[in-house]
Amino acid sequence: MSTLEFTESEEAFRLEARDWLAANNPGRLPSMDTAEGAAAHREWERTLASDRWSVVAWPEAYGGRDASLTEWVIFEEEYYLAGAPTRISQNGISLLAPIIFGHGTEAQKERYLRDMTDGSLVWAQAWSEPEAGSDLASLRATATRVEGGWRLNGQKTWSSRAPFADRGFGLFRSDPVAERHRGLTYFLFDLAADGVTVRPIDQIDGTPGFAEIFFDDVFVPDEDVLGGVGDGWKVAMSTAGNERGLSLRSPGRFMAAAARLVSLHADAPQPHANDRVVDAWIRAEAYRLYTWDTVTRVEAGGSVGAEGSVNKLFWSELDVDLHETALDLLGPDAELPSLWSDGYLFSLGGPIYAGTNQIQRNIVAERILGLPRLG
């Protein structure tokens, strides 16, 4: 095991979180990609928020505990080790909220942040378009200036959480003659607004975790522009950095899965899988240590930067490999619905969302290794 050291107050925080989760964790809930499951997950968000465990690192004024980044990662470790439910509010609290804190107005903070913490406001992430997936800068959805705001037109696809969400966030081209990475504006919008059509997309398991969103002259007031007009790319890259780096995949998720994999193998040892099980455990521990190194750097005033792409490559491939190993150990039983089969299906999206791994390798090559662009 690692030799990480924590202060007495940090260890006390860990024990408090562990005890609270032991007393309140509802365990596995119905899939949040169903109406029943979405409602159950919203209720769990309310439970978390009632004792200020929903967003521990946020200021107390917005429902948090003013916890440090270290304490946030500690909580995430305990959360996953406890087997607590997936967070239906993740798009809001992990991806959008950091951008509102960094780029939003005081009115936007007051209007949106508190309702994220208790499941009252679930957000859909609306980036990709039919002809602008990983190449986000080629998007075609438009925003046209009108009195008091903007009219949105176009289509977004693969919008996560959209089938059961309340609002969405994404980029629209507000200046059609500007360069690709300019003339983009970041908008917040109501999924129930006139002119918005949400069309669910069934996943491999038959549930609609994503949706297409169609915009037909949808009015969005100026107060729902996040960041400056035309500054959408800069704002969006802040979101992407959070998604690829610390926010999206806590090390606790992989530590818990690796521990379950070791237990699975111990219950019915299969010598041919020894190396794969050990490799999964080592990689989960390496990811944990890498995350703590990043936490130390950020707390000292650094940032995630392009290294977030390395991080995203690592955790997405680890997730798939770990679950494939578990399914191999299960043999014919792998066909039965279980935590492992659900996790495997979810893991297959990891190399795609948050920017495909092919795109991430280009970023690593160009921005970290300094290699020339091809073509």
Side-chain angles (χ1 to χ4, degrees), residues 29-44 86 88 164:
L29 297 174
S31 170
M32 62 182 174
D33 296 332
T34 65
E36 175 192 7
H41 280 80
R42 285 182 188 253
E43 182 60 35
W44 170 236
T86 304
I88 196 171
F164 302 106

Side-chain angles (χ1 to χ4, degrees), residues 1-14:
M1 294 293 290
S2 66
T3 57
L4 290 170
E5 295 182 357
F6 298 96
T7 66
E8 288 187 9
S9 64
E10 289 165 349
E11 291 292 1
F13 180 86
R14 181 187 297 278

Side-chain angles (χ1 to χ4, degrees), residues 5-128:
E5 295 182 357
F6 298 96
T7 66
E8 288 187 9
S9 64
E10 289 165 349
E11 291 292 1
F13 180 86
R14 181 187 297 278
L15 290 176
E16 183 184 0
R18 185 178 298 171
D19 289 345
W20 187 89
L21 287 164
N24 294 278
N25 176 20
R28 196 175 183 193
L29 297 174
S31 170
M32 62 182 174
D33 296 332
T34 65
E36 175 192 7
H41 280 80
R42 285 182 188 253
E43 182 60 35
W44 170 236
E45 296 291 338
R46 281 190 284 274
T47 300
L48 284 165
S50 66
D51 286 329
R52 293 182 178 266
W53 288 110
S54 176
V55 286
V56 296
W58 287 18
E60 290 186 5
Y62 296 108
R65 290 175 170 242
D66 280 319
S68 66
L69 183 57
T70 292
E71 290 171 327
W72 174 77
V73 177
I74 287 173
F75 175 74
E76 290 289 291
E77 286 187 347
E78 294 301 321
Y79 190 89
Y80 282 103
L81 288 171
T86 304
R87 303 290 301 275
I88 196 171
S89 293
Q90 182 172 295
N91 280 343
I93 63 177
S94 295
L95 302 181
L96 177 59
I99 309 306
I100 291 181
F101 278 119
H103 299 272
T105 65
E106 290 303 313
Q108 287 171 335
K109 294 174 186 177
E110 290 295 326
R111 185 179 176 189
Y112 294 126
L113 291 176
R114 290 187 185 86
D115 284 345
M116 290 184 197
T117 69
D118 65 359
S120 296
L121 198 58
V122 173
W123 290 82
Q125 184 184 30
W127 292 133
S128 298

